[in-house]
Amino acid sequence: DITMAGLDVTHQFLVTPDRIEQVGGMGAPFTDMITDLFRFFSKNYISRHDVIRGAALHDPLAVLALTHPDLFEAVDRHVAVETSGRHTTGMTVIDRRDISDRETPNVHVLERVDDAAAWDLVIEALVAANARSTASGPQP
């Protein structure tokens, strides 16, 4: 089985300024480093897009799609990767037509994410990581 988390979905899960400050407020070396990474990544993302409030968290979202599928709305569709188009090489083509003679679905396509619940899980993971790093003491 294949599950697709396209950019249309990963761009629903953003590390925004308020979320960066939330992580920064944790005040531990690990989350201080994550805060710096989030700031850098967000600044870069915002500078390269016309309209976006922060950086998309692509990889964490893909993991959450596997570990917490209940956070997502999805539909089975036929998906193909364009390999020969002059302007579209490498793009995915999702058949969203509502006609009966379309090709058989071959991919579970994520369409929406509960971004607040997903963010809560990221915070939970960061709290746990901070606890582990504090319990293990200073690293050489």
Side-chain angles (χ1 to χ4, degrees), residues 5-135:
L7 295 178
D8 59 327
V9 176
T10 61
H11 282 194
Q12 295 172 29
F13 188 43
L14 302 176
V15 59
T16 57
D18 58 317
R19 289 178 171 175
I20 293 170
E21 293 311 311
Q22 181 182 9
V23 174
M26 293 180 175
F30 176 71
T31 50
D32 288 347
M33 177 190 66
I34 296 298
T35 300
D36 289 343
L37 288 171
F38 281 169
R39 282 189 179 123
F40 172 80
F41 193 37
S42 288
K43 181 179 177 183
N44 182 43
Y45 225 84
I46 290 167
S47 74
R48 297 182 67 221
H49 290 79
D50 290 332
V51 180
I52 200 160
R53 299 179 348 263
L57 295 177
H58 305 288
D59 295 343
L61 188 91
V63 171
L64 289 171
L66 298 174
T67 62
H68 295 79
D70 54 303
L71 296 178
F72 298 86
E73 293 177 25
V75 63
D76 293 331
R77 299 280 186 196
H78 186 271
V79 177
V81 178
E82 177 59 55
T83 60
S84 60
R86 178 174 174 212
H87 299 289
T88 57
T89 299
M91 291 186 179
T92 52
V93 179
I94 304 169
D95 189 346
R96 297 182 187 275
R97 297 176 296 169
D98 291 323
I99 58 173
S100 58
D101 64 342
R102 66 187 171 275
E103 292 193 57
T104 303
N106 60 348
V107 174
H108 193 63
V109 179
L110 303 180
E111 294 190 326
R112 297 205 184 289
V113 60
D114 180 343
D115 126 275
W119 180 252
D120 289 344
L121 290 168
V122 169
I123 292 300
E124 184 180 304
L126 291 173
V127 166
N130 275 341
R132 282 191 304 274
S133 67
T134 302

